[in-house]
């Protein structure tokens, strides 16, 4: 087929449609969608020659920014706060332990130098949140475990990147300054955390205060601020990905105007970047080269799943209040995904001696992990009693929008148990001028608001309010 502009656009459209449809089948088969996306990329490899590691890395990092930002936006701080210590331990001690163990095996199995083996361990040391929860789907997994896996997956990427870059530097320079590495680690993580919080505050202020002509620009502004966070933090040699995740959690848990539009836009854009990233990374792999490293890749994948990851989890959570079964589940739920494959492009760009072989083995390990662990995570969760009934879809769906240039919007407010307004009639609420309660969701029913309607705990109110009066309206409705 001749690759004209029209044909390329047609191919792009067909790929997106196929990828979206495969996500439906992946959830039914219990497999992470990344398996299908990578397979599509590998299939296209027969028709499209692509070996530009630099372009793949650039696109991969941009995709990771979007994916981490979207994940942070939907992360509930009240859940993460309770598992902050274990998830932080998993993201640091767990990754280091996994790196050292699998790096030891890789040194002998792949016949590498010690630093090259440790670099391989660092590359496959982090887990992938998107892959994990694509497999779990709508399973009602225990909040404690879900929050732990979510926080670990969102925060362990910077550690894996730091270790990988450090080992590459050591391989190229042949000089090892442990003090410099330790100081560099604390600088990257500490400054990344602080600047992530600062950028989060800036983002919330800008989104809530700037009056744009179209509500559709606010999601674009939020994404632009996420990319700006990564670039400015990376410019001072700190962890840009950690900063993006922290910034997103802060933004997602703040009182934000146009929240629904921002979250839905980034969710859709995150899926598209996820799809395109894995297809692009699949194009980098030549299937005939995987045959020559099949047994090495399989051996390292099994050692990662059954030895390195479990030891890393149990070691890092030794003094945590988690049962043996919970640690087993967290160990098995450590799917590898986007980050290891993106990190595997670093040695390629650096021009290291065994970089292509390492990339192929990393790809094999990630694909195998996703295939075997991905197909069994849901089953294991059910066997261990960590899932409840399948979550029912919401009985309501209401688009929250801004009303053109009137600077008004519809916001969602939930009446909590014990609120001062419980039992009050709507006419008793002294709402600001130009504020209107448009709908009340009560259980599975939509209640038409009237002056005599009494509020109950659990009611979800949709309120039309001007931007200037939003805070006042929320205080009156939620606090009485």
């Amino acid at each position: 087929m001749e690759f004209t502009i029209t044909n390329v656009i047609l191919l792009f459209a067909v790929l997106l449609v196929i990828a979206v449809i495969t996500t439906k089948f992946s959830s039914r088969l219990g497999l992470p969608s990344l398996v299908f996306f990578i397979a599509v990329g590998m299939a296209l490899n027969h028709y499209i020659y692509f070996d530009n590691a630099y372009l793949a890395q650039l696109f991969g990092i941009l995709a990771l920014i979007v994916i981490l930002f979207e994940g942070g936006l939907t992360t509930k701080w009240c859940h993460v706060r309770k598992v902050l210590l274990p998830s932080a331990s998993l993201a640091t001690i767990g990754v280091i332990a996994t790196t050292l163990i699998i790096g030891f095996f890789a040194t002998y199995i792949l016949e590498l130098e010690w630093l090259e083996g440790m670099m391989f361990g660092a590359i496959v040391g982090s887990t992938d949140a998107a892959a994990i929860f694509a497999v779990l789907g709508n399973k009602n997994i225990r909040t404690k475990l879900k929050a732990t896996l979510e926080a670990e997956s969102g925060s362990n990427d910077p550690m894996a990147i730091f270790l990988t870059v450090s080992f590459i530097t050591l391989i190229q320079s042949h000089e090892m300054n442990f003090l410099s590495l330790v100081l560099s680690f604390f600088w990257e993580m500490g400054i990344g955390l602080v600047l992530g919080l600062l950028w989060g505050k800036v983002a919330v202020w800008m989104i809530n205060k700037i009056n744009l002509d179209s509500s559709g620009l606010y999601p674009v502004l939020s994404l632009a601020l996420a990319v700006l966070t990564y670039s400015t933090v990376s410019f001072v040699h700190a962890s840009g990905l950690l900063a993006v995740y922290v910034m997103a959690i802060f933004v997602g848990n703040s009182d934000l105007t146009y929240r629904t539009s921002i979250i839905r836009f980034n969710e859709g854009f995150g899926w598209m970047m996820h799809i395109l990233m894995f297809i692009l990374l699949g194009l980098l792999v030549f299937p005939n080269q995987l045959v020559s490293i099949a047994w090495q890749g399989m051996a390292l994948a099994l050692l990662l799943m059954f030895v390195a990851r479990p030891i890393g989890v149990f070691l890092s959570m030794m003094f945590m209040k988690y049962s043996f079964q919970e640690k087993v589940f967290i160990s098995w739920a450590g799917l590898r995904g986007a980050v290891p494959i993106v990190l595997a492009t670093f040695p390629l760009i650096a021009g290291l001696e065994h970089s292509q072989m390492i990339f192929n083995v990393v790809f094999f390990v990630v694909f195998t992990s996703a295939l075997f662990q991905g197909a069994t995570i849901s089953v294991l969760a059910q066997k261990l009693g960590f899932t409840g009934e399948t979550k029912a879809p919401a009985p309501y769906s209401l688009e929250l929008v801004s009303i053109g240039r009137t600077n008004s919007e519809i916001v969602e407010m939930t009446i909590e148990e014990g609120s001062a307004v419980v039992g009050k009639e709507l006419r008793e609420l002294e709402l600001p001028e130009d504020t209107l309660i448009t709908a009340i969701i009560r259980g599975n029913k939509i209640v038409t608001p009237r002056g005599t309607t009494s509020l109950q705990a659990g009611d979800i109110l949709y309120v039309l309010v001007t931007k200037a009066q939003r805070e006042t309206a929320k205080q009156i409705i939620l606090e009485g």
Side-chain angles (χ1 to χ4, degrees):
M1 182 176 71
E2 182 183 356
F3 285 95
T4 63
I5 292 177
T6 302
N7 289 339
V8 170
I9 293 175
L10 175 62
L11 178 63
F12 176 76
V14 171
L15 286 177
L16 280 181
V17 171
I18 292 174
V20 170
I21 293 175
T22 57
T23 59
K24 184 69 175 179
F25 290 104
S26 70
S27 61
R28 289 184 177 180
L29 295 174
L31 292 174
S33 52
L34 71 88
V35 172
F36 293 90
F37 303 154
I38 290 176
V40 170
M42 293 174 66
L44 287 174
N45 191 279
H46 292 285
Y47 309 99
I48 303 173
Y49 180 80
F50 179 79
D51 64 349
N52 193 326
Y54 177 81
L55 180 60
Q57 183 185 115
L58 174 62
F59 188 85
I61 291 175
L62 286 172
L64 288 175
I65 293 171
V66 176
I67 293 169
L68 277 176
F69 181 61
E70 188 273 329
L73 283 178
T74 55
T75 297
K76 295 185 181 298
W77 173 245
C78 60
H79 294 159
V80 172
R81 182 176 53 193
K82 298 177 182 178
V83 297
L84 202 56
L85 183 58
S87 59
S89 183
L90 282 167
T92 51
I93 298 173
V95 171
I96 293 174
T98 303
T99 296
L100 294 177
I101 295 169
I102 201 65
F104 171 82
F105 288 120
T107 300
Y108 290 99
I109 293 176
L110 301 178
E111 298 180 355
L112 299 172
E113 297 293 332
W114 278 104
L115 287 176
E116 291 177 318
M118 293 302 151
M119 178 187 68
F120 176 89
I123 289 173
V124 297
S126 66
T127 59
D128 185 70
I132 292 170
F133 294 109
V135 173
L136 295 176
N138 61 351
K139 295 288 190 308
N140 187 19
I141 188 170
R142 190 175 295 176
T143 301
K144 174 185 175 182
L145 294 176
K146 182 175 181 180
T148 302
L149 289 168
E150 186 177 46
E152 179 208 2
S153 301
S155 59
N156 66 5
D157 297 342
M159 172 59 80
I161 294 173
F162 169 78
L163 292 174
T164 301
V165 173
S166 297
F167 282 123
I168 290 176
T169 303
L170 291 173
I171 292 170
Q172 291 178 322
S173 64
H174 301 288
E175 295 180 2
M176 188 172 294
N177 188 330
F178 287 105
L179 179 60
S180 176
L181 285 178
V182 171
L183 292 176
S184 178
F185 167 76
F186 282 106
W187 171 268
E188 287 198 25
M189 301 305 162
I191 299 301
L193 176 63
V194 171
L195 293 183
L197 286 172
L198 290 176
W199 271 113
K201 293 182 178 181
V202 171
V204 171
W205 182 85
M206 291 184 67
I207 293 170
N208 287 339
K209 296 299 181 181
I210 295 179
N211 292 318
L212 300 174
D213 290 340
S214 171
S215 62
L217 291 174
Y218 286 90
V220 179
L221 175 62
S222 70
L223 184 58
L225 289 169
V227 177
L228 186 61
T229 297
Y230 174 85
S231 57
T232 53
V233 174
S234 297
F235 186 77
V236 295
H237 304 290
S239 178
L241 291 180
L242 177 62
V244 168
Y245 187 63
V246 171
M247 172 260 200
I249 292 178
F250 186 91
V251 171
N253 288 273
S254 298
D255 185 17
L256 200 66
T257 186
Y258 309 111
R259 170 185 294 276
T260 302
S261 297
I262 290 172
I263 290 177
R264 289 187 177 180
F265 171 85
N266 283 287
E267 181 183 14
F269 195 64
W271 266 109
M272 189 176 77
M273 295 297 281
H274 208 110
I275 291 168
L276 296 178
M277 175 179 61
F278 281 118
I279 290 176
L280 187 65
L281 294 174
L283 281 172
L284 268 180
V285 177
F286 297 91
N288 60 317
Q289 294 180 359
L290 296 181
V291 178
S292 61
I293 52 90
W295 80 264
Q296 296 97 324
M298 181 60 70
L300 287 170
L302 292 175
L303 287 168
L304 178 62
M305 289 186 283
F306 291 101
V307 180
R309 168 68 177 178
I311 291 177
V313 169
F314 276 82
L315 185 64
S316 60
M317 303 183 73
M318 187 180 302
F319 303 107
M320 309 296 176
K321 294 181 179 179
Y322 286 73
S323 67
F324 178 81
Q325 291 83 357
E326 288 174 332
K327 292 176 183 178
V328 168
F329 178 75
I330 291 173
S331 299
W332 192 248
L335 270 71
R336 270 52 193 173
V339 175
I341 302 179
V342 173
L343 286 180
T345 63
F346 282 51
L348 285 173
I349 295 175
L352 299 187
E353 182 180 357
H354 302 103
S355 58
Q356 186 61 55
M357 184 265 288
I358 289 174
F359 181 88
N360 292 335
V361 177
V362 168
F363 187 91
F364 194 97
V365 169
V366 169
F367 195 82
T368 304
S369 168
L371 194 61
F372 286 102
Q373 290 177 286
T376 54
I377 285 180
S378 295
V379 176
L380 180 63
Q382 291 173 348
K383 291 289 184 183
L384 294 176
F386 295 151
T387 57
E389 295 181 0
T390 302
K391 293 179 180 179
Y396 58 89
S397 177
L398 182 63
E399 186 75 27
L400 307 184
V401 296
S402 66
I403 313 300
R405 292 177 177 270
T406 64
N407 199 28
S408 296
E409 58 178 320
I410 297 177
V411 296
E412 179 184 301
M413 303 182 192
T414 302
I415 306 299
E416 302 291 344
E417 188 76 40
S419 173
V421 298
V422 173
K424 283 188 176 183
E425 295 182 350
L426 294 185
R427 61 187 176 186
E428 298 179 56
L429 302 179
E430 297 181 1
L431 296 174
E433 188 178 356
D434 298 327
T435 300
L436 177 67
I437 298 176
T438 60
I440 300 176
I441 308 299
R442 182 172 296 164
N444 294 325
K445 298 180 180 179
I446 298 179
V447 178
T448 302
R450 293 185 174 85
T452 56
T453 302
S454 296
L455 293 174
Q456 298 180 12
D459 282 354
I460 299 173
L461 278 60
Y462 290 97
V463 185
L464 176 64
V465 61
T466 62
K467 196 172 182 180
Q469 298 292 346
R470 188 162 58 95
E471 293 300 324
T472 304
K474 289 191 73 170
Q475 187 174 9
I476 293 173
I477 294 174
L478 299 182
E479 300 177 11

